[in-house]
Amino acid sequence: MNRPTVPPPLTEAEVIAAEADLGVVFPAEYRRYLRQVSSGGAVARLEKTDNGWWWADNSARRRDLLPLPFPHPDSYAEADDEFFRRLPRAEDYADEDAFAGPMDAWNAEYWEFDERKTAGAVVVEEHGCGFATLLVITGPLAGTLWWDGRATCDLIIPLSLDHAGGARPVTFGEWLGRSSRDLLPPGWG
């Protein structure tokens, strides 16, 4: 039986180069994992590409957002509600052509806002159907893991060992070896 090969750990020089290239300092547990365990394995592989360091299977389209602090979902809930209050309604326009311009402008503004919801984080595990586990790299929540469920419920929620007791997000070390789905609130999804 062929087992998938686990990439080797990175050297200290490679980790330093990746951090410098990305403009971040990796959370301690993740950094230790990269140095002592693997550059991938249980998580998306961090690798040197033609365009610099980045994670395999992650879109580098908004690489500029990685150094920004990850925003706690509570911090943008009000802004999210405001966006939807401003959603153009077709019945307010004379015809489809008159509606198209305001709707296109709203969509462009909303997608920019929505992308910023994952600033400072990277996908470390894809789950299919638009679901992913995020590792926060920057900001006060650095080193914690979150479930990106925006594909169906427009929510990003903490993965936690104690949802009943306040849902403190798990750290990278607490998450390793666990299923992200097991760290979701009971009955979620």
Side-chain angles (χ1 to χ4, degrees):
M1 166 165 58
N2 287 343
R3 294 182 187 267
T5 58
V6 175
L10 298 176
T11 66
E12 181 66 17
E14 288 172 322
V15 171
I16 290 169
E19 290 174 323
D21 183 49
L22 296 167
V24 300
V25 174
F26 296 133
E29 289 177 336
Y30 179 62
R31 193 175 206 288
R32 205 168 18 262
Y33 177 84
L34 290 171
R35 285 285 299 117
Q36 297 174 3
V37 180
S38 174
S39 62
V43 300
R45 182 179 185 167
L46 177 61
E47 58 192 0
K48 176 87 166 144
T49 71
D50 292 340
N51 297 318
W53 286 89
W54 198 247
W55 290 266
D57 301 323
N58 273 254
S59 169
R61 189 171 75 81
R62 292 306 308 265
R63 184 182 169 111
D64 60 314
L65 296 177
L66 185 63
L68 301 178
F70 178 75
H72 189 286
D74 292 346
S75 71
Y76 54 74
E78 210 172 288
D80 218 11
D81 291 344
E82 175 59 26
F83 263 105
F84 282 98
R85 282 193 291 275
R86 293 188 295 116
L87 178 68
R89 299 177 328 155
E91 59 268 19
D92 292 340
Y93 296 88
D95 56 37
E96 284 185 35
D97 289 337
F99 173 64
M103 190 65 208
D104 288 347
W106 183 91
N107 274 326
E109 186 180 0
Y110 186 76
W111 289 121
E112 172 65 24
F113 171 73
D114 197 54
E115 283 198 16
R116 290 184 173 277
K117 291 177 180 178
T118 59
V122 63
V123 173
V124 289
E125 185 177 24
E126 281 285 348
H127 302 285
C129 300
F131 297 109
T133 298
L134 303 173
L135 168 62
V136 178
I137 301 291
T138 58
L141 296 166
T144 62
L145 286 105
W146 295 72
W147 181 264
D148 187 348
R150 292 177 296 163
T152 60
C153 64
D154 204 33
L155 293 175
I156 297 173
I157 58 175
L159 295 178
S160 180
L161 296 169
D162 184 19
H163 283 283
R168 178 190 61 80
V170 294
T171 65
F172 183 77
E174 292 169 332
W175 172 78
L176 274 177
R178 298 178 189 267
S179 166
S180 292
R181 293 182 193 278
D182 291 343
L183 298 172
L184 290 168
W188 190 89

